[in-house]
Amino acid sequence: TVRNWISDSYVIGEPADKGTAVSDAMTVQQARDSQGSKDRWVCGYIVGGDLTSSSASFYGPFDSRSNLLLGPKSSTSDKDACLSMQLPAGDLRERLNLVDNPDMLGRKIYVRGDIVEAYYGIPGIKNVSDFQLP
């Protein structure tokens, strides 16, 4: 028996449009590797806050309402494995900051924004425009 293949289709690596929908959200690691991507969905766990260029807090109480740390797992406690996240002023900041919402620590979340090379010394997500809690 002989078979002749007329065409094949291969995908090597991640699709270029990864993260364009919640159902195809990037992982924290994929986002860390996709710096410069705009308007992408990322899925991670809120693992900390109170970011500075050299440290982050993984345990409350928290002092900063303007940033969060997203980790690949809810138990992550290594800043270098995480994605920093800017919380813009308004409803999103009010609903997600760990000062006013300490119960958000450890929660899985989908966020939509621009992936930047560095925010507080590590890859981050800024211009967050939307989020969803599963």
Side-chain angles (χ1 to χ4, degrees):
T1 305
V2 176
R3 289 187 182 173
N4 291 323
W5 296 98
I6 296 176
S7 68
D8 268 335
S9 177
Y10 294 96
V11 175
I12 298 174
E14 294 296 326
D17 61 349
K18 182 86 173 156
T20 56
V22 173
S23 60
D24 191 35
M26 293 181 181
T27 65
V28 168
Q29 185 58 52
Q30 288 168 332
R32 288 177 58 88
D33 294 337
S34 299
Q35 298 165 19
S37 296
K38 303 281 186 196
D39 198 32
R40 299 296 174 161
W41 283 97
V42 177
C43 179
Y45 293 85
I46 299 173
V47 296
D50 294 346
L51 298 170
T52 69
S53 59
S54 61
S55 69
S57 179
F58 292 92
Y59 305 100
F62 296 95
D63 296 321
S64 176
R65 290 179 171 86
S66 64
N67 58 65
L68 292 176
L69 203 56
L70 296 182
K73 297 185 289 186
S74 62
S75 61
T76 303
S77 60
D78 177 11
K79 181 182 175 189
D80 292 327
C82 295
L83 191 66
S84 56
M85 184 172 121
Q86 179 184 49
L87 292 176
D91 183 57
L92 198 132
R93 181 182 290 179
E94 290 174 20
R95 294 181 61 195
L96 296 180
N97 81 77
L98 291 173
V99 175
D100 300 320
N101 307 287
D103 58 315
M104 293 300 293
L105 189 64
R107 293 279 311 261
K108 185 175 186 177
I109 189 169
Y110 294 88
V111 294
R112 182 180 186 173
D114 301 334
I115 302 166
V116 296
E117 181 179 345
Y119 179 62
Y120 285 108
I122 60 173
I125 185 164
K126 294 177 86 173
N127 304 318
V128 177
S129 59
D130 200 2
F131 76 96
Q132 289 186 18
L133 298 169

